[in-house]
Amino acid sequence: LISSGWKQEKVTGKINRYVASKPEISSLPMRCPNATTLQRMYDRSLKYQKSVLVAGNMTQQMLDFDLGWKQALEQQKFCTWDVKDIVKKKEWKQFFSESF
């Protein structure tokens, strides 16, 4: 669908502008890690976080860590566009054929 000469940033920019210009498209389909994978990611991140905590400020740092994790989940920071689902849709096939 996209020729090899296109850089990811340029493709992402075009897609974001297209979505912004189409009020009927509220968002793109997303693929997110399952609960087991997210738990493993959290556990490993927490283990690393604990290893770099500064003595005397651990409680606040752990609160900040948990808040950051919660915000990342809410903002779908660990998710990616579901490309397989996107390219099945007529509207997106047309977008890609005309844009790239």
Side-chain angles (χ1 to χ4, degrees):
L1 291 172
I2 300 173
S3 65
S4 61
W6 284 89
K7 294 193 176 197
Q8 180 179 355
E9 298 82 21
K10 205 167 193 176
V11 172
T12 301
K14 270 187 159 287
I15 291 170
N16 284 330
R17 284 189 297 281
Y18 179 71
V19 170
S21 74
K22 300 280 186 179
E24 66 274 13
I25 301 175
S26 60
S27 64
L28 293 168
M30 302 294 283
R31 272 189 96 155
C32 302
N34 64 32
T36 303
T37 301
L38 286 171
Q39 186 62 52
R40 276 192 240 139
M41 290 169 60
Y42 177 85
D43 293 343
R44 288 181 183 172
S45 297
L46 181 61
K47 182 178 177 180
Y48 175 77
Q49 181 68 23
K50 286 180 177 180
S51 74
V52 296
L53 289 175
V54 176
N57 196 18
M58 289 186 193
T59 303
Q60 185 59 49
Q61 290 173 27
M62 289 308 302
L63 289 171
D64 292 344
F65 172 79
D66 283 334
L67 177 62
W69 182 264
K70 182 180 176 188
Q71 289 173 340
L73 290 175
E74 289 170 356
Q75 297 169 9
Q76 295 185 314
K77 296 285 185 179
F78 305 117
C79 303
T80 59
W81 292 335
D82 188 344
V83 177
K84 288 181 182 180
D85 190 34
I86 291 169
V87 299
K88 288 178 186 175
K89 299 179 184 209
K90 180 183 175 187
E91 175 181 21
W92 286 103
K93 285 181 183 180
Q94 183 177 349
F95 166 77
F96 285 109
S97 67
E98 293 173 1
S99 299
F100 303 99

